[in-house]
Amino acid sequence: MIPWEKIDTAKIPGSDEELRLMRRGKEFSIKLGTNELMNSRLSGSEAALATLAAKQIEKVAKPVVLIGGLGMGFTLRAALAVLGAQAKIVVSELVPSVVAWARGPMAEVFGDSLDDARVSIREIDVGEVIRAKRSAFDAILLDVDNGPEGLTRKGNDALYDARGLQVAKTALRAGGVLAVWSSGPSAAFTGRLKRAGFDVNEVNVRATGRGGGARHVIWIARKG
């Protein structure tokens, strides 16, 4: 068995916590304490975040999509695969080292996705991007802090509380979609989405995308 090797660490802005990038052969893992936040072998549910959201806006000729959290790029690569040539994808990543890892040790995992003309990367809190403009996006995809029940940064809770959902709704165009990934279910979050005026569909997906692995949850919330 090939042992895990620590490649790098990164402080999370606004937190005392530290991410660790680990490698075992061609496999990568990003960990926080004892929790594995993502693994390069388990991409199914993060990819589904993009494909499920894209299905909701397939009639939009020139969609503008915001992805909160770069991670290992699963959601970004899936979005590039299903969105047309006229799409614009903004990726907001709070931790600069995560972007550096994508261009450095994990470059083979990311391929040429970061250089796609449709993509722009912003090293900034996704909440700031959402608050910046009204009716700016056809879809907002959030894969931040393991979902509504966060692990890494207290400030991320503001994305998922009642006020945060109203801000996201304001940032969406008519018929736009807020798609949220989570490591597990949250009845309270489902309720908040409904009270915010979204039409909500909760989808259970497997981590591997092939019927195996942990069960994750994706909320597809459409602005009426």
Side-chain angles (χ1 to χ4, degrees):
M1 177 68 72
I2 302 173
W4 284 102
E5 172 190 6
K6 184 168 72 174
I7 302 301
D8 197 10
T9 61
K11 286 287 188 181
I12 301 171
S15 168
D16 295 328
E17 302 285 358
E18 186 177 75
L19 298 178
R20 303 192 312 281
L21 176 63
M22 311 292 292
R23 180 171 60 196
R24 182 173 63 185
K26 292 187 176 182
E27 179 184 0
F28 290 91
S29 172
I30 295 179
K31 291 190 171 185
L32 174 72
T34 59
N35 295 301
E36 182 176 66
L37 300 182
M38 58 200 78
N39 185 291
S40 58
R41 295 187 299 106
L42 303 173
S43 61
S45 61
E46 288 89 347
L49 177 66
T51 55
L52 290 170
K55 184 69 175 175
Q56 299 296 314
I57 59 170
E58 60 185 355
K59 294 182 180 179
V60 179
K62 297 180 180 180
V64 180
V65 176
L66 171 62
I67 298 176
L70 176 61
M72 291 187 176
F74 303 132
T75 302
L76 171 60
R77 294 193 295 280
L80 287 170
V82 295
L83 294 173
Q86 300 300 311
K88 177 181 178 183
I89 303 172
V90 180
V91 181
S92 179
E93 173 54 55
L94 178 67
V95 184
S97 291
V98 171
V99 180
W101 295 344
R103 297 190 183 279
M106 290 197 294
E108 187 174 342
V109 175
F110 277 80
D112 60 358
S113 59
L114 298 183
D115 297 320
D116 192 294
R118 293 171 289 175
V119 177
S120 59
I121 305 294
R122 299 192 62 189
E123 295 179 7
I124 188 174
D125 186 337
V126 68
E128 293 187 36
V129 181
I130 293 172
R131 291 190 294 270
K133 293 183 180 180
R134 300 173 62 93
S135 302
F137 304 105
D138 297 290
I140 298 173
L141 283 54
L142 296 181
D143 181 3
V144 176
D145 204 357
N146 245 29
E149 310 296 336
L151 289 173
T152 66
R153 183 171 174 265
K154 191 66 176 175
N156 289 328
D157 293 347
L159 293 170
Y160 303 113
D161 63 18
R163 176 174 172 78
L165 295 179
Q166 287 295 339
V167 171
K169 189 176 177 183
T170 299
L172 288 168
R173 295 170 177 169
V177 172
L178 174 65
V180 177
W181 182 96
S182 176
S183 60
S186 172
F189 183 62
T190 301
R192 287 199 297 275
L193 284 168
K194 291 179 178 178
R195 288 192 295 275
F198 287 101
D199 296 324
V200 183
N201 184 23
E202 187 175 332
V203 183
N204 291 294
V205 293
R206 291 283 194 173
T208 63
R210 298 186 299 273
R215 292 183 181 274
H216 297 155
V217 177
I218 295 172
W219 287 272
I220 301 295
R222 178 180 284 276
K223 178 179 179 178

